[in-house]
Structure formats: C-alpha cells, structure tokens
Amino acid sequence: MLDLLIRNANLPDGRTGLDIAVKGGRIVEIAPSMAADAAKVIDAAGRLVSPPFVDPHFHMDATLSLGLPRLNRSGTLLEGIALWGELKPILTQEAVIERALRYCDLAVAQGLLHIRSHVDICDDRLLAVEALLEVKRRVAPYIDLQLVAFPQDGLYRSPNAERNLLKSLDMGVDVVGGIPHFERTMSDGALSVRRLCEIAAERGLRVDLHCDESDDPLSRHVETLAAEAIRLGLQGRIVGSHLTSMHSMDNYYVSKLIPLMAEAGVHAVANPLINITLQGRHDTYPKRRGMTRVPELLAGGVNVAFGQDCMMDPWYSMGSADMLEVAHMAVHVGQMTSLSAMRTAFDCVTVNSARAIGIEDYGLEVGKAAHLVILQARDAIEAIRQKPTRLTVIRGGKVIAETAPRRTSLTLDGRPETVDPADYAPPLNA
Ligand code: FE2
C-alpha cells in the first residue's frame, strides 16, 4: 500500500501522463497508469508536477522590513545600503525571527522549499545570525534553509568582519560569504577571495560570494574565485553570485573566463530581478541590463541558477517569494526565448539551483525525497508564463499547503461562464 499516488502528472522535462508513487516519504515509482492502492490519491489532471523551487540566493535577515525605518524613495542601491545601515542598530532578534518565519510561510505557499540565505555578520552583536539560526531550526521540518556568513560591509573594510565571520561559522552558519568588489581596492578584493576560500577549505565548507556585482568591465574577482577553486580543490563547492560585471566585460576576456569557470566547477547565480533593477544606474542611454551572460555560461558548461535576492527590503520594494517570477524576468532580460532556453530557465530555479547549493536528495527521480509541487499549468514554459497557482505542495509525501485554482466567473452574454488561465494556450510540449 502506497502512502500517496499522484495520477496523470506532466513533468518539467516534457514527459506527460505519468503517475508518481510515494512510500515512506520517498518517490518509489514513476510510470504511466500504475495499478496500485494508496492511502491518498491526487489527480494532477495533466498539470505540471515539479520538484520544489530552490532559491540559491536570498537575504532573509532583511526581508519584509520594507518601510523600516523609512522607505527607499530613490529605489537605488546606494540608498538601500544607507537604509540597511539605519535599520541594523534598531533590529531586534524577535522581529527578525518573526519576519523570516512569515516569509517562510509565503515561500511554502509558493512551493519554495529550499533557500540559501546570506546573513550579515558585520554587526558585532551577531543578532541576525542568532535569529536566522533559530529560524533554520524552526523551519527545518518544511524548509531546508542554508545560511551564508556575509560580510556586507567588506571583509577588510569592516573592522571586525573576519572575527565575526569565523564566530558565525563556529555558531553553525553553513557557508562562507564575501563581497570582494566592495573592498577598498581590487587587490584587497582579491585578497579577500583568497582568505575566504582558505577558510572554507580549512573547515570543509562551501563558498558563496557576492562577486563582481558592479558594471565595472575590469572587475576580476570571478577569475580569482575560479583560480582559488582549482588551487584549493574546491571544484563544485563554490558559487559566484551576481557576476554582473560579466555583462560589461570585453568579449575576448569572457571567452577565456567562461572556460576557466567551467574547469573550476564554479556555479553561477544570477539574480535577474535585482540585477535589472540595480545595475546600469550610471548609464544614460543605451542603458546596460546588468545580468550576467546566462546563455553563454550555460553553453560553456557552467551550471547556472537564478536567485530572488530580495523581497520587500531596503533594496527592493517588490518580490513575492515566487521563483517563477524570477525565471520570467530572466527569460526576458537574457532573451532566453528559444524553446530549449525557456525550459532551461525552469531548471535554473529547480534542478540547477539544487546542484549549485549542494542539495543531493532532490529531484523527480525514484529514490529521492517526495518533495513535490503541483501547479495550475501544463508544462514548464506555461508555468513561467503564467506564474500559476501552486495547487498542492508536498513535503516528504505529506501535503503541507493547498491553494484553490485560479478561476474567474464571467457574466458576459455569449461568452463562457468561467475563465481558467491554464486553458488558454495550446501546450508547448505537444
Ligand atoms: Fe545578494
């Protein structure tokens, strides 16, 4: 007897009409028209069933703080940084925990069950670190939360950053973070990359740096990061986040850099909502987009994932914990409109993301944990287009969130009585 049987599911890879059998919290079979008894049966009715969304880059210590202590009136990165500086001294642990837990509720509703969040360690009280470690413990039954020790004000620019970073790692923070482009000089930035990678290698940890988040075509920290991955044997364990300077770099230089990143196994995380918003601010017109070279990185064999970065915080007033909104923006900014590129954009917020942050027990495969999301869409491309309702969110074979389908009643003479947005387009997988 199965615990759960999902009937007639379409999968993100384009396979259709499959049943997914779950027992003991794991996927035990994926096959058409299974003859099996189950304690619970869900008819997916030809809708998309996906592994959960994975956000590889977020800032949970700042989320939902919009308006505290005031709104970002200009909407710029610089006012955002100033605002965060005003907010930090008045943060309380209880308020950070409460906001983060509320964010996690929203994440679950959106089928987002794996999150890597940076946490600012430059405040000597390490209040946000303690708060997010508590949140990680509390949400563990339903969200895998990884924390990155992030020296927001610079490892060498901020006087106690290195000491605080090491202390945060001792306290249980999972990943080593950094911000080399924000150090005082390019050489200080390179030194910070080396030091941070050495700390990770000594402690057997992964690395995730905000790296070259600027429009500077001569920023070179991604190169240093890749070289350090090779030197220290950290291949596959390092993420370069943002990498926006690659948008502005010389093409010849990039033709050398991408193979180096592939050799070093450096994962690239773009944050399309934030990159398109914050980069290119010194340009008049033409105005640069600022997102890293996603199609070129993918073509060069680099694993690329998309992160949300911010939601309703000092830097970004928008966001909705919806990784499909993130993928939708990436498709547009990166002109990823070929059929295969749109399908890949879905992978960039699911399987590629899981790979980037090292989640192994993940995916729509026999033997993997039965973490699943049923969406009100028929395939991955339609899901990106519609950003549809997450009808059912399943964790370890158990339903943890349900949302009624979006359906509108019409009272128009001679027109249908209801509109279901999922019924309005021919399936692209046909
Ligand atoms: Fe970030």
Side-chain angles (χ1 to χ4, degrees):
M1 175 86 138
L2 298 168
D3 299 327
L4 172 67
L5 182 61
I6 300 174
R7 289 217 179 268
N8 194 13
N10 291 353
L11 308 193
D13 63 11
R15 286 180 288 165
T16 58
L18 292 173
D19 295 352
I20 302 168
V22 173
K23 194 169 171 62
R26 308 224 147 246
I27 299 169
V28 293
E29 196 177 351
I30 302 173
S33 308
M34 239 179 265
D37 286 331
K40 184 177 176 68
V41 177
I42 300 175
D43 183 7
R47 304 288 195 221
L48 178 66
V49 179
S50 167
F53 296 101
V54 181
D55 185 353
H57 189 110
F58 193 60
H59 294 263
M60 205 178 274
D61 48 357
T63 195
L64 300 181
S65 67
L66 185 70
L68 297 174
R70 61 183 176 83
L71 288 166
N72 182 337
R73 300 226 163 253
S74 64
T76 59
L77 173 61
L78 287 180
E79 189 175 345
I81 291 172
L83 244 175
W84 180 236
E86 290 170 37
L87 177 57
K88 261 200 273 191
I90 57 170
L91 285 178
T92 68
Q93 207 176 99
E94 296 69 35
V96 173
I97 291 172
E98 172 58 23
R99 284 195 290 267
L101 288 174
R102 276 201 295 135
Y103 177 80
C104 289
D105 296 340
L106 190 58
V108 168
Q110 299 278 34
L112 170 55
L113 302 188
H114 305 272
I115 302 171
R116 174 180 276 187
S117 173
H118 296 252
V119 53
D120 187 353
I121 52 85
C122 287
D123 167 14
D124 290 339
R125 298 171 299 165
L126 294 178
L127 175 149
V129 172
E130 281 182 6
L132 289 195
L133 282 168
E134 173 64 15
V135 171
K136 178 184 160 100
R137 195 184 60 74
R138 286 207 220 167
V139 302
Y142 51 93
I143 287 181
D144 292 324
L145 175 60
Q146 292 183 9
L147 298 177
V148 185
F150 177 46
Q152 169 87 66
D153 302 330
L155 185 71
Y156 296 133
R157 251 170 90 154
S158 177
N160 299 324
E162 185 169 340
R163 195 194 67 193
N164 291 349
L165 182 131
L166 293 171
K167 198 169 164 203
S168 306
L169 298 174
D170 290 341
M171 288 163 69
V173 171
D174 310 273
V175 178
V176 180
I179 186 163
H181 57 276
F182 197 65
E183 304 294 348
R184 290 192 180 90
T185 63
M186 198 62 78
S187 58
D188 274 4
L191 280 176
S192 81
V193 173
R194 286 194 197 103
R195 177 70 188 123
L196 292 164
C197 288
E198 281 167 3
I199 290 170
E202 282 161 18
R203 293 177 174 239
L205 299 177
R206 289 172 173 262
V207 177
D208 191 335
L209 305 190
H210 283 64
C211 199
D212 291 346
E213 187 185 2
S214 76
D215 295 314
D216 178 1
L218 297 177
S219 206
R220 292 291 181 261
H221 300 308
V222 189
E223 175 185 277
T224 307
L225 187 60
E228 288 302 294
I230 294 167
R231 180 173 77 89
L232 296 165
L234 290 169
Q235 288 97 331
R237 300 175 62 80
I238 290 186
V239 168
S241 282
H242 289 291
L243 312 178
T244 53
S245 62
M246 284 184 76
H247 188 93
S248 299
M249 282 172 182
D250 173 72
N251 284 338
Y252 172 76
Y253 175 69
V254 173
S255 77
K256 189 167 165 262
L257 179 61
I258 289 178
L260 175 65
M261 290 172 68
E263 182 193 353
V266 169
H267 307 273
V269 169
N271 297 293
L273 296 170
I274 304 307
N275 301 152
I276 192 70
T277 307
L278 294 182
Q279 302 305 313
R281 287 285 179 134
H282 295 273
D283 297 350
T284 53
Y285 289 93
K287 201 184 264 289
R288 283 170 285 182
R289 296 166 188 230
M291 190 169 81
T292 195
R293 303 188 188 201
V294 173
E296 293 78 7
L297 284 161
L298 286 163
V302 176
N303 181 47
V304 180
F306 300 146
Q308 185 182 208
D309 203 6
C310 299
M311 176 182 161
M312 298 180 77
D313 66 12
W315 297 274
Y316 190 56
S317 305
M318 306 223 155
S320 57
D322 185 356
M323 295 310 294
L324 287 171
E325 181 180 59
V326 173
H328 188 267
M329 179 59 77
V331 163
H332 290 77
V333 178
Q335 299 181 332
M336 296 173 66
T337 48
S338 72
L339 274 180
S340 70
M342 287 190 283
R343 284 195 192 112
T344 301
F346 192 88
D347 292 342
C348 290
V349 290
T350 51
V351 287
N352 290 15
S353 248
R355 216 177 120 206
I357 66 171
I359 304 169
E360 281 164 12
D361 191 10
Y362 178 91
L364 250 170
E365 290 169 37
V366 171
K368 299 288 188 188
H371 307 332
L372 301 162
V373 182
I374 306 176
L375 297 103
Q376 193 185 358
R378 288 167 297 190
D379 59 53
I381 297 172
E382 190 172 274
I384 293 175
R385 182 175 67 80
Q386 293 269 15
K387 300 172 278 305
T389 300
R390 318 304 127 103
L391 300 169
T392 311
V393 180
I394 295 161
R395 174 93 186 178
K398 296 200 169 57
V399 173
I400 59 168
E402 286 179 290
T403 310
R406 196 165 77 191
R407 197 164 281 132
T408 305
S409 299
L410 288 185
T411 48
L412 300 173
D413 287 343
R415 301 306 306 154
E417 288 178 2
T418 57
V419 176
D420 175 346
D423 288 341
Y424 270 68
L428 285 162
N429 281 330

